């Protein structure tokens, strides 16, 4: 039995006797991760950290937009962790090409200087997460494991940096106009989770949760979840000012 529980190297499949197949849980399959960053030391350290995790592994690395796209096509990773700033362009350019070719790929972008336009573009492309490059390893590992397509996780420290970059809040509602439940939904929206996850967390139906999200968008003058979070951060409803 012990032999059956050993993790197979990334890119390989360990076969078990047919009579024992039900004893090997699917969870033993490791998430395959491609790293795209032109800082060799950072990439090597992160790859080593990933390979020490029982459920994760690094399958390769690239150092540019072009090589990132090529390596993703060759290796077909589950997750791509990519720097926003690459020598030959933006990581979002690579993300768009990768997702066009392999829509199921989960992409996490790392940056230290986000812009509202970049975050909006990332959300439109389908990037799963925008994280600070100087953030903790634990945060990155947790995001690699749990970020999913259909929503974008933006770390509060990045959202807080957008306060002076976003459009004027001429139409934004004052704090008092949001109900207690809308505040609860708003705080969950800031984590980047989808409506279903937020509804479960609050013990309400998905339709009810969507109604709260719509009301929040209207009151804040926002047109997307990400824009609502940025506006709310500037108003002090969430993030460092709350």
């Amino acid at each position: 039995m012990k032999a059956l529980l050993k993790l197979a190297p990334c890119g390989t499949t360990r076969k078990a006797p047919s009579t024992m197949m039900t004893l090997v849980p699917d969870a033993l399959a490791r998430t395959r991760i491609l790293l795209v960053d032109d800082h060799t030391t950072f990439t090597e350290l992160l790859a080593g950290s990933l390979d020490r995790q029982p459920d994760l592994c690094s399958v390769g690395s690239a150092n540019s937009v072009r090589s990132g796209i090529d390596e993703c096509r060759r290796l077909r990773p589950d997750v791509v962790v990519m720097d926003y700033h690459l020598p030959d362009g933006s990581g979002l350019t690579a993300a768009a090409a990768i997702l066009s070719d392999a829509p199921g790929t989960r992409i996490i972008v790392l940056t230290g200087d986000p812009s509202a336009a970049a975050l909006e573009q990332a959300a439109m492309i389908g990037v799963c997460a925008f994280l600070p490059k100087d953030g903790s390893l634990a945060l990155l590992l947790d995001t690699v494991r749990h970020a999913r397509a259909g929503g974008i996780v933006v770390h509060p420290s990045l959202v807080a940096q957008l306060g002076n970059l976003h459009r004027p809040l001429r139409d934004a509602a004052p704090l008092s106009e949001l109900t207690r439940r809308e505040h609860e939904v708003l705080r969950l929206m800031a984590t980047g989770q989808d409506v279903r996850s937020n509804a479960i967390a609050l013990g309400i139906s998905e339709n009810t949760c969507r109604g709260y999200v719509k009301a929040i968008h209207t009151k804040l003058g926002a047109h997307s979840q990400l824009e609502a979070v940025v506006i709310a951060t500037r108003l002090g409803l969430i993030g460092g000012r709350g």
Side-chain angles (χ1 to χ4, degrees):
M1 285 295 292
K2 290 183 178 179
L4 288 174
L5 294 177
K6 290 178 66 177
L7 291 170
C10 265
T12 67
T13 302
R14 185 182 299 279
K15 294 183 179 180
S18 58
T19 57
M20 301 294 289
M21 285 295 285
T22 57
L23 300 180
V24 183
D26 291 340
L28 291 182
R30 303 176 78 182
T31 299
R32 305 170 70 254
I33 302 149
L34 173 68
L35 305 177
V36 184
D37 196 299
D38 62 321
H39 295 90
T40 304
T41 302
F42 174 83
T43 301
E44 291 178 349
L45 289 172
L46 180 54
S49 297
L50 292 170
D51 291 339
R52 286 191 290 273
Q53 304 301 311
D55 56 336
L56 308 173
C57 68
S58 169
V59 294
S61 64
N63 58 14
S64 66
V65 171
R66 182 69 263 167
S67 62
I69 295 170
D70 292 342
E71 285 300 280
C72 199
R73 287 173 177 164
R74 184 176 72 86
L75 297 170
R76 296 297 178 182
D78 302 305
V79 178
V80 177
V81 176
M82 179 154 39
D83 194 2
Y84 176 66
H85 297 288
L86 294 169
D88 56 343
S90 165
L92 295 184
T93 300
I98 290 168
L99 290 172
S100 176
D101 181 60
T105 308
R106 288 175 280 148
I107 297 181
I108 298 170
V109 174
L110 306 179
T111 186
D113 54 344
S115 68
L119 291 179
E120 289 284 3
Q121 184 183 1
M124 291 177 63
I125 289 171
V127 168
C128 288
F130 230 111
L131 301 180
K133 193 168 184 179
D134 60 356
S136 70
L137 176 62
L139 170 66
L140 178 56
L141 295 178
D142 185 65
T143 305
V144 167
R145 289 185 173 106
H146 299 114
R148 293 290 181 268
I152 180 169
V153 176
V154 182
H155 193 267
S157 68
L158 295 183
V159 176
Q161 294 180 45
L162 301 177
N164 295 323
L165 299 177
H166 206 65
R167 63 176 176 79
L169 301 177
R170 292 187 302 269
D171 302 322
L175 175 62
S176 60
E177 288 192 18
L178 291 180
T179 66
R180 179 184 61 81
R181 180 63 91 180
E182 287 166 356
H183 276 288
E184 293 173 345
V185 173
L186 180 60
R187 284 192 289 271
L188 289 173
M189 287 168 62
T191 69
Q193 301 303 311
D194 58 19
V195 169
R196 181 174 181 275
S197 299
N198 293 343
I200 292 173
L202 294 171
I204 60 178
S205 71
E206 289 185 44
N207 285 338
T208 299
C209 191
R210 288 192 183 92
Y212 285 125
V213 171
K214 184 176 180 180
I216 290 167
H217 285 181
T218 299
K219 291 181 178 182
L220 295 181
H223 300 89
S224 68
Q225 175 170 323
L226 181 57
E227 187 178 14
V229 170
V230 171
I231 293 172
T233 299
R234 289 193 61 194
L235 288 172
L237 305 185
I238 54 177
R241 302 180 189 181

